[in-house]
Amino acid sequence: MKVAKFYAPGDIRLEDVDEPHVSTGEVKIRVRNCSTCGTDVKILTSGHPNMSPPQVMGHEIAGEIVDVGAGVEGWSVGDRVQVIAAIPDGTCDDCLAGNPTICPNQLSMGYQFPGGFAEYMIVPREVLRVGGLNRIPDGVGFAEASLTEPLACVLNGQELARVGAGDTVVVVGSGPIGCLHVRLARSRGAVRIILIDINADRLAEAAAIVRPDLTIVSSETDPVEAVLRATNGRGADVVITAAASGAAQEQGLRMLARRGRLSLFGGLPKDAPTVTVDSNLVHYRELTIVGVNGSSPAHNRQALELIATGVVVVSDLITHRLPLDRLLDAIGIVGRGEAIKVTIES
């Protein structure tokens, strides 16, 4: 079978390897869709500290079961499934306290385990042990189901930022994560959503699909002044920085209303991880700054249900569908910001 394997920064190879075979406690799937994301771009350019190369990449996975190992119950050949990306151990203090997203022993598909940029893959027992294999409901395609994982991360972020009814929400970054934030915030009752991006063309493309109430091109106007002007000086209840930009994080803090919440959703480059925080602004306005780290198995189940019920529409965010042998083209498209979401079909 064909796989896309990461060896080192700048070195991703399409290779022919033997099909894997299930062992006890495992499931084998025929991968139907594995979507790409900004992390794949980072892996190609810079690698990843948690990755164990050479490794088959891909963590936004949906497919069909073709073999079931001994001891696995509740799953059959032909079942359509979605696979979590982040795998908590389920036994540490954080997991037992109900916080699996910060499990210190977390493993990941496409990092420690071979991922979904392959024709076939093994769902390891570690995934099954924490309930990380989800049945795709009827009416949901494999491509749409592959967006469960990024939506699950977005769901975790909005829960931590307490996005809710009546909120004015600012989303910085109009890529696929930003678009999912707009859609989810709307479903959670936000009354006004402002979408910001430095790239006017990308912003216009995204806005035509997800329809925020206002767009701001931050390369053409001061985004802080624009948000304050749009909110009659009050500011936003929530600002979500879905971009790898320290400047956006610093600006986001200044956009907040009193008791507003800033979600640092997008991580910063490892060589520039710090920002300047006006501590007095946080102090006197009683602001909250929250971090976000992936998603839990429960978030994945909830996200798949949101997609299946049409509460969060994702099908129109998939702008490119490419075969596995064009993965490098797909990652290039993502890196250049020429798409909302690119999915690999195999």
Side-chain angles (χ1 to χ4, degrees):
M1 68 170 186
K2 292 190 179 301
V3 301
K5 191 176 291 187
F6 171 85
Y7 281 84
D11 186 6
I12 294 176
R13 306 176 196 174
L14 291 169
E15 296 182 346
D16 289 313
V17 302
D18 291 337
E19 277 189 35
H21 298 285
V22 292
S23 298
T24 299
E26 299 177 340
V27 165
K28 177 180 175 179
I29 69 171
R30 173 73 166 92
V31 179
R32 295 300 182 184
N33 281 86
C34 186
S35 292
T36 61
C37 78
T39 302
D40 297 320
V41 178
K42 295 177 186 176
I43 290 171
L44 173 60
T45 57
S46 305
H48 195 285
N50 296 331
M51 202 163 190
S52 306
Q55 187 59 272
V56 180
M57 294 172 57
H59 60 273
E60 299 183 6
I61 304 161
E64 182 178 5
I65 294 178
V66 294
D67 198 3
V68 178
V72 174
E73 298 181 354
W75 298 102
S76 302
V77 171
D79 286 344
R80 302 185 322 125
V81 294
Q82 178 265 338
V83 186
I84 63 170
I87 312 165
D89 66 16
T91 61
C92 69
D93 289 344
D94 290 304
C95 286
L96 294 176
N99 302 311
T101 59
I102 53 172
C103 172
N105 306 313
Q106 176 181 291
L107 302 172
S108 297
M109 299 304 299
Y111 290 72
Q112 288 80 32
F113 298 104
F117 292 142
E119 293 180 90
Y120 295 90
M121 60 162 275
I122 296 298
V123 179
R125 58 182 62 88
E126 287 84 354
V127 168
L128 296 172
R129 187 182 300 139
V130 295
L133 189 63
N134 298 305
R135 200 177 309 275
I136 300 173
D138 293 342
V140 178
F142 290 112
E144 289 75 25
S146 72
L147 270 65
T148 296
E149 191 275 336
L151 179 58
C153 297
V154 167
L155 179 59
N156 180 34
Q158 294 206 13
E159 287 181 350
L160 289 166
R162 307 190 308 279
V163 175
D167 281 342
T168 293
V169 177
V170 171
V171 178
V172 184
S174 64
I177 292 295
C179 289
L180 288 171
H181 271 298
V182 171
R183 286 260 166 91
L184 183 63
R186 190 78 75 191
S187 77
R188 293 173 68 91
V191 295
R192 194 172 194 200
I193 301 174
I194 300 171
L195 185 59
I196 300 175
D197 202 295
I198 196 170
N199 185 313
D201 292 337
R202 182 170 57 205
L203 179 60
E205 180 184 9
I209 297 173
V210 298
R211 300 190 176 280
D213 299 291
L214 177 68
T215 60
I216 297 169
V217 181
S218 56
S219 59
E220 299 176 0
T221 187
D222 185 319
V224 178
E225 291 181 0
V227 168
L228 294 177
R229 187 165 56 248
T231 57
N232 296 318
R234 177 179 178 273
D237 299 290
V238 180
V239 175
I240 300 166
T241 55
S245 167
Q249 293 181 356
E250 293 177 353
Q251 292 168 344
L253 194 68
R254 292 159 48 212
M255 296 174 186
L256 288 173
R258 285 166 174 78
R259 291 208 169 176
R261 289 89 71 194
L262 173 65
S263 173
L264 305 184
F265 192 96
L268 299 184
K270 60 185 179 182
D271 58 349
T274 61
V275 296
T276 299
V277 172
D278 185 335
S279 180
N280 280 336
L281 199 64
V282 176
H283 173 67
Y284 288 109
R285 294 191 181 185
E286 298 187 354
L287 305 180
T288 299
I289 302 173
V290 296
V292 187
N293 180 39
S295 62
S296 68
H299 286 127
N300 276 257
R301 291 191 292 273
Q302 295 166 28
L304 187 53
E305 179 67 15
L306 290 171
I307 292 171
T309 56
V311 173
V312 177
V313 176
V314 300
S315 57
D316 55 356
L317 301 181
I318 301 170
T319 54
H320 293 67
R321 299 169 184 255
L322 297 176
L324 180 58
D325 60 9
R326 291 192 60 195
L327 175 64
L328 290 176
D329 292 337
I331 293 176
I333 290 168
V334 174
R336 294 188 297 273
E338 296 172 357
I340 302 292
K341 195 66 177 177
V342 183
T343 191
I344 297 297
E345 299 184 325
S346 60

